[in-house]
Structure formats: C-alpha cells, structure tokens
Amino acid sequence: MTTSPPQPPQNPYPGQPAGYGPPPQQFPQYTQPDQQQPGQYPGQQDQQPGQQQYHGQPYQQPQQPQQQGQFPPGQYPNQPQFGQSFPQQGAQQSFAPQGQMACRFCGGYPAVEATVRGHQGLIILMRFLKLQGPFCRTCGIASVRDMTSKSLWQGWWGVGSSIINPITMLMNIGPMQKFKSLPEPQPGPGRPMNPGKPLFQRPAILMLLAPVAVIALIVFANLNSTEAKANVGACVVNNGTSSSPDVKVVDCTSSEAEYKIVGKIDDSTDDSQCDQFEGAEASYVYEQGSTKYTLCLTPVK
C-alpha cells in the first residue's frame, strides 16, 4: 500500500502575504520509496543543500578560505582573540590623566618636556647627540647623568670638541633643574630608567681633570720655555750647532753656561741691532709662528 506524505500548507500564517513566514526548510520534502527525483541517478539518496553523502557517511563541504576583509561572526577588525591583550598605544594615552604629559620612556606622570644633550669628539669629526622627552623625574635625572657621563669620556677628542663639549654639558643644567622640581612619578606601564650614582661619584668625573691638566701643561711649558726665562743677565748653553742651534737657559754658576745675555730684542730677527749692547759678540735669533726675538750674547768668562 502506498501512502502520500503530508504536504505543507501554502501559507501557514494567516494574514501574511505569500512568500513570508518561516523558511521553507522548516517543512522537509518527502518522496515515495524507490521514487527518483528528476535529475537524480538510481541509488542516489536525498541530499540536503551544501551536504554530500558518500558510502553512507556524510561528507561536509570544504570550508571556503576566508577572504581579505571578511572576519568570523562576532569578531571585529583588529579585535584580539581569546587570551590576547590589546597592544599598548603609548603610556600617555593609557595612564596619564587628561591634561597631563606622561613620560616617553616609562609612562609615569607627571612629566615635563625637555631635551638632554651629549657630545662625541672623533678627532676630526664630531657628533651632536640629543634625547627628547617628555621625561618624568626619574627618567630625566637618569638621562642627564648618562649623557653627561658619556660626554665626559667621549667629548674631548678633537680641537673643536674640546671647546664644544663643556658648552654641551652646561646646557644640561636647565633640564636637570626641571626634572628635580618634579614630584616622584606615578608608576606607568614601563620600567623607569635607573638614575645610578650622581656624577661626582662616577669615575667619569675624573675626565674633568683632562682639560685642566692640558691647560696646566701648556702654562708650565710656557713658563719654562727659553723665551720666558731668557732675560738679560741669564746664561744659556747651545746644545746644537751653529746652523741649527738649541739654546737652553742654565744657571750662570753651572759649568754648562757658555754665554750671558746682555741684550734682548723682542719682535725682531735683525741681529745687527746687537751692536748697541756693550760686549755682545754673538747672537741667537728665534722665530716660530708669531713669536720672534733676538738674544745678544757675550761669552761667560
């Protein structure tokens, strides 16, 4: 005996226009046993849309690759997945109160805008270094100490650098005063810099003695030069030759004394002027750069 399956109503919802209401999948289609649907091969069973059947086991249609610009349901662009955190967009936006600056390095606040400078001398070349803020109190003091300490070691190597380096280090006094006027910072998302020891407790401070030592050597050399000591009445000795003299001032009581200075003519290399000095029998002319003079000499008896 063959039975006819129940047919779904044409419009199960009264008052609704045709085509509205529950989706058609709510009413499954039935077929007679051993009755083929149009376009169906023998032995092929009914298939739901999007589902295939092979050897009695359902085969799921492979999932289409996700195209660019499409996102899984319920997920928005740039939304982190479960277990992930949002990327930090900067300590200033996330932690500092509105209207206050946050430290560029640790995110603490309050902070102040400043520029810390350093210098490197490379004999012929030179480098100007700078580190821009905003800085909190801790990171600002640490930056000044670090940059100044490096300048003390690296900033003197060169004639121009030996002049510019002290000026560069003095320019950090203003930012240092700004940092010291700030209160202790509120912690931010990052780790603040380590201020370390004060400059006067670091070995680099000894490099301040380098320019002082150089200046002292120059002064000492000038004070002990022949020009400074070669005055009238002093005695000299020539350790060189007549064509290439090497005149040094010695004690007149020394056995090395050869000549005694009876006259000195500054800013002149004309030894004929020694005739005006009584007893002058020899002369010594010195000229180097802008320095020149003539010594009128008489033999030591």
Side-chain angles (χ1 to χ4, degrees):
M1 181 178 62
T2 303
T3 60
S4 299
Q7 299 295 328
Q10 297 298 326
N11 188 5
Y13 295 91
Q16 296 288 343
Y20 289 86
Q25 289 79 359
Q26 189 174 359
F27 302 96
Q29 299 293 333
Y30 295 93
T31 58
Q32 296 290 342
D34 300 331
Q35 183 178 357
Q36 297 181 0
Q37 295 291 331
Q40 184 178 14
Y41 294 97
Q44 184 177 2
Q45 298 180 2
D46 293 340
Q47 300 176 358
Q48 295 293 334
Q51 182 177 3
Q52 298 179 1
Q53 190 170 7
Y54 181 75
H55 291 293
Q57 296 182 358
Y59 173 78
Q60 298 293 335
Q61 186 175 359
Q63 186 175 2
Q64 296 295 332
Q66 188 173 357
Q67 299 180 359
Q68 186 176 3
Q70 296 181 354
F71 302 91
Q75 184 172 352
Y76 295 94
N78 300 327
Q79 182 179 1
Q81 298 181 359
F82 179 77
Q84 297 180 349
S85 59
F86 286 92
Q88 295 182 0
Q89 299 296 329
Q92 298 173 343
Q93 299 178 1
S94 303
F95 289 85
Q98 187 176 3
Q100 281 194 356
M101 288 189 295
C103 180
R104 171 187 170 191
F105 303 94
C106 70
Y109 61 91
V112 66
E113 187 67 48
T115 301
V116 182
R117 303 183 183 275
H119 185 77
Q120 288 182 344
L122 305 173
I123 307 301
I124 300 176
L125 304 177
M126 62 182 67
R127 293 180 60 189
F128 297 88
L129 310 176
K130 67 178 181 179
L131 191 62
Q132 294 179 326
F135 297 90
C136 66
R137 175 187 173 91
T138 304
C139 294
I141 293 176
S143 298
V144 171
R145 290 177 179 177
D146 182 68
M147 294 283 279
T148 306
S149 178
K150 291 180 179 178
S151 297
L152 287 170
W153 284 109
Q154 305 170 0
W156 305 106
W157 311 113
V159 178
S161 295
S162 62
I163 301 175
I164 296 175
N165 191 43
I167 300 175
T168 302
M169 292 187 292
L170 289 175
M171 292 175 66
N172 288 333
I173 295 178
M176 189 66 164
Q177 296 301 322
K178 286 184 178 181
F179 302 147
K180 288 186 176 181
S181 64
L182 291 174
E184 290 296 328
Q186 297 297 322
R191 179 181 298 177
M193 297 182 185
N194 182 13
K197 296 180 179 180
L199 282 175
F200 289 97
Q201 298 181 13
R202 301 189 182 195
I205 198 64
L206 297 177
M207 293 302 294
L208 280 178
L209 301 177
V212 176
V214 171
I215 294 173
L217 288 175
I218 294 174
V219 173
F220 179 80
N222 289 331
L223 291 177
N224 289 274
S225 65
T226 302
E227 179 187 3
K229 298 171 65 175
N231 298 317
V232 176
C235 296
V236 296
V237 59
N238 183 14
N239 294 324
T241 62
S242 57
S243 60
S244 179
D246 182 18
V247 176
K248 301 293 182 184
V249 177
V250 294
D251 191 354
C252 290
T253 60
S254 172
S255 60
E256 296 179 346
E258 295 180 350
Y259 297 95
K260 187 175 183 179
I261 302 174
V262 294
K264 182 178 181 180
I265 306 172
D266 294 324
D267 298 327
S268 176
T269 58
D270 184 10
D271 58 353
S272 63
Q273 299 183 30
C274 288
D275 296 340
Q276 59 181 316
F277 299 103
E278 183 180 358
E281 299 181 8
S283 63
Y284 169 68
V285 177
Y286 178 85
E287 183 176 7
Q288 184 175 0
S290 60
T291 304
K292 55 185 179 180
Y293 59 89
T294 300
L295 300 178
C296 303
L297 309 173
T298 186
V300 175
K301 298 179 181 180

